[in-house]
Amino acid sequence: MRFMKLSQLTVLGISGLIAVTTVQAQSSPSMAKVNGVSIPQSRLEFIVKARAAQGQADSPETRKTLREDLITEEVIAQEALKKGLDKDPDFVSQLEIARLTALVRAYQIDYVKNHPVSDEELKKEYESLKTQMGDKEYKAHHILVATEAEAKDIIARIKKGGKLDKIAQEKSIDSGSKSKGGELDWSPAASYVQPFAEALTKMTKGQLTEQPVKTPFGWHVIRLDDIRPLKIPPFEEIKQNLAQRVLQRQFATFVGDLRGKAKIE
């Protein structure tokens, strides 16, 4: 489960999340007025902040564009209200979903703020990651097909001189590697699903699997092209990613506990 990033949420401008906007309008200076209806400055600031969280720069030009967008949305929203579209069942459902999404996001942010991860925890996570990843990474090609019989036939073809990359382009159902002739990027074995990962660790350079390898995705024909030592980035370089891993795991456990305590009928 990934923590959701803040998004621009301008779609909420169509309704302004009616109740929330009303509160904002009372407590925030006005950015503009449309037919006497105030657009709170806080709405613009929220979008700017959300964009900044996604790495987008705050500039006068950006603010001007956003201001114009919000005014346009308010104009359209007023027309929608005149037509009574705020009473449409689909709109009401959409509004409730948006409210729930915003509440979940707010709770995630609050959880992260109130559950800082110590350096000691992060270093334990780092050592665990190193153990999990191992000390080698592998370069391989594979062909994924739906049946064992087809995979065995492909192995026989390759042993008779058939080119794995050409067969992969013809037969493989793995859309990620099919166009590259079945080529996979350098990766540690732990990056792959079992028993694909186990097969890699037991192969030698240049070896083709004698038997197809079954995974939840289908049947694989694998050729191990090369092996090299795995270089894991230094702790400080991936510290932030480690914190995210720990928080994701903790939050998932916390949510599981919440669901366990909830009365669900």
Side-chain angles (χ1 to χ4, degrees), residues 7-159:
S7 59
Q8 183 176 333
L9 287 181
T10 52
V11 66
L12 300 186
I14 296 175
S15 65
L17 273 178
I18 299 174
V20 176
T21 302
T22 302
V23 173
Q24 288 180 332
Q26 294 171 351
S27 60
S28 173
S30 176
M31 181 199 74
K33 285 188 176 181
V34 178
N35 298 322
V37 177
S38 176
I39 303 176
Q41 180 69 24
S42 58
R43 195 181 302 176
L44 175 62
E45 298 303 328
F46 174 79
I47 297 173
V48 170
K49 182 180 178 181
R51 282 171 164 255
Q54 295 178 331
Q56 300 181 45
D58 179 6
S59 68
E61 292 77 14
T62 297
R63 284 176 171 264
K64 182 179 179 181
T65 299
L66 290 174
R67 180 180 184 275
E68 293 304 312
D69 287 346
L70 287 170
I71 290 172
T72 299
E73 288 183 349
E74 181 61 38
V75 170
I76 297 171
Q78 289 183 20
E79 289 303 305
L81 288 170
K82 287 179 184 177
K83 294 189 68 174
L85 296 181
D86 56 321
K87 305 296 191 301
D88 180 83
D90 286 344
F91 171 80
V92 173
S93 295
Q94 181 184 0
L95 190 61
E96 180 61 16
I97 291 169
R99 187 185 74 86
L100 290 173
T101 299
L103 280 171
V104 170
R105 181 165 45 252
Y107 194 87
Q108 288 176 327
I109 293 170
D110 180 75
Y111 183 92
V112 171
K113 182 174 66 175
N114 290 291
H115 294 81
V117 183
S118 68
D119 275 1
E120 182 180 358
E121 289 178 281
L122 292 179
K123 287 176 181 176
K124 286 182 180 178
E125 185 73 12
Y126 183 66
E127 293 303 319
S128 174
L129 179 64
K130 288 200 296 184
T131 301
Q132 179 185 342
M133 291 294 102
D135 58 357
K136 297 181 180 66
E137 61 179 344
Y138 303 84
K139 181 71 173 176
H141 280 69
H142 87 130
I143 301 171
L144 175 64
V145 291
T147 68
E148 182 181 16
E150 188 175 9
K152 285 183 174 180
D153 179 64
I154 288 171
I155 291 173
R157 286 177 60 186
I158 294 172
K159 286 184 175 182

Side-chain angles (χ1 to χ4, degrees), residues 191-205:
S191 297
Y192 296 105
V193 66
Q194 291 287 8
F196 190 105
E198 184 180 359
L200 278 180
T201 61
K202 293 180 177 179
M203 296 172 70
T204 57
K205 183 178 176 179

Side-chain angles (χ1 to χ4, degrees), residues 172-185:
S172 184
I173 57 175
D174 175 20
S175 59
S177 65
K178 178 183 177 75
S179 63
K180 298 185 293 183
E183 182 181 4
L184 301 171
D185 294 331

